[in-house]
Amino acid sequence: MSCHIAKLGEDVLRLEAKKVEDIKSQKTQTIIKEMLRCLKKSSGVGLAAPQIFHSCQILIISSHPNERYPHAPYMEDEIIINPIIIETSKQKEKGWEGCLSIPGIRAQVPRHTKIKVKYTNINNEEKIEVFEDFIARVFQHEYDHLKGLVYLDRVEDMKDIITEEIYFKTID
Ligand code: ZN
């Protein structure tokens, strides 16, 4: 089965995603399974439900080195439901991001270097976690998808946008 990712221009990427009411429901479980499958197929390090046409508050962080992100740190896949960012560092840092919904380009995006978040995990437990650096960046990127934002909305200078072809030739 192929994996259909919503591309920039699709309305679903600009909606505010709805809260998940029942984590154990068949529907929610199916969306999560589909998200995991799409992540594996596409060498992403994160995915938000709206990217596969489900406007609900689920994101997955799946950080490990792959062909699109060779320097990503290892982290166990984390399924994050109804997240809230409760604290952010004052400090922001620019770093390169790409997005499965915006193929072919990369851009430098300012993000908080440290965030404290609250969410429900796959076992229906409430979690409070602190994420830093790369993982904090992925989290903020995916969290934006739940608000109807994409990373290009956060770019400060249009010159910070480049093609993926040049990115892999010169930056990486
Ligand atoms: Zn994205």
Side-chain angles (χ1 to χ4, degrees):
M1 240 164 64
S2 71
C3 177
H4 189 198
I5 302 267
K7 303 282 160 51
L8 188 64
E10 294 275 8
D11 292 341
V12 69
L13 293 177
R14 292 311 196 172
L15 298 176
E16 228 185 283
K18 292 209 166 63
K19 231 177 146 180
V20 175
E21 301 295 346
D22 183 4
I23 287 161
K24 299 284 177 200
S25 76
Q26 191 63 49
K27 193 185 165 208
T28 305
Q29 294 299 315
T30 304
I31 293 170
I32 290 168
K33 246 185 235 158
E34 207 183 323
M35 287 174 74
L36 285 167
R37 193 174 57 79
C38 282
L39 262 172
K40 269 211 190 89
K41 276 215 148 133
S42 51
S43 300
V45 287
L47 190 72
Q51 291 183 278
I52 59 160
F53 298 89
H54 295 286
S55 191
C56 60
Q57 294 179 18
I58 306 173
L59 58 91
I60 300 178
I61 295 179
S62 178
S63 181
H64 45 80
N66 65 36
E67 57 192 36
R68 293 189 75 239
Y69 295 91
H71 307 298
Y74 279 103
M75 184 180 130
E76 225 22 66
D77 283 4
E78 184 72 351
I79 291 148
I80 291 164
I81 299 156
N82 299 333
I84 311 173
I85 296 178
I86 48 181
E87 257 177 67
T88 58
S89 60
K90 262 206 189 105
Q91 199 201 358
K92 282 187 176 183
E93 219 167 63
K94 275 191 188 181
W96 291 102
E97 293 184 23
C99 181
L100 294 172
S101 295
I102 311 171
I105 66 168
R106 298 279 173 128
Q108 290 230 282
V109 188
R111 299 285 189 191
H112 300 285
T113 52
K114 197 171 171 183
I115 54 173
K116 190 184 210 180
V117 301
K118 191 168 106 175
Y119 60 91
T120 304
N121 74 5
I122 190 73
N123 302 318
N124 213 356
E125 297 158 342
E126 193 164 286
K127 304 262 284 181
I128 291 179
E129 295 277 355
V130 173
F131 294 122
E132 288 181 71
D133 303 320
F134 186 82
I135 304 294
R137 177 171 297 282
V138 175
F139 193 104
Q140 289 168 83
H141 176 118
E142 302 309 335
Y143 184 80
D144 271 355
H145 278 303
L146 305 183
K147 302 286 177 198
L149 295 171
V150 298
Y151 77 98
L152 294 180
D153 302 331
R154 304 247 184 226
V155 169
E156 284 174 343
D157 182 343
M158 289 301 154
K159 293 189 186 77
D160 288 337
I161 305 175
I162 66 171
T163 62
E164 207 151 60
E165 188 189 332
I166 299 302
Y167 174 81
F168 280 117
K169 251 189 234 169
T170 59
I171 310 287
D172 204 49

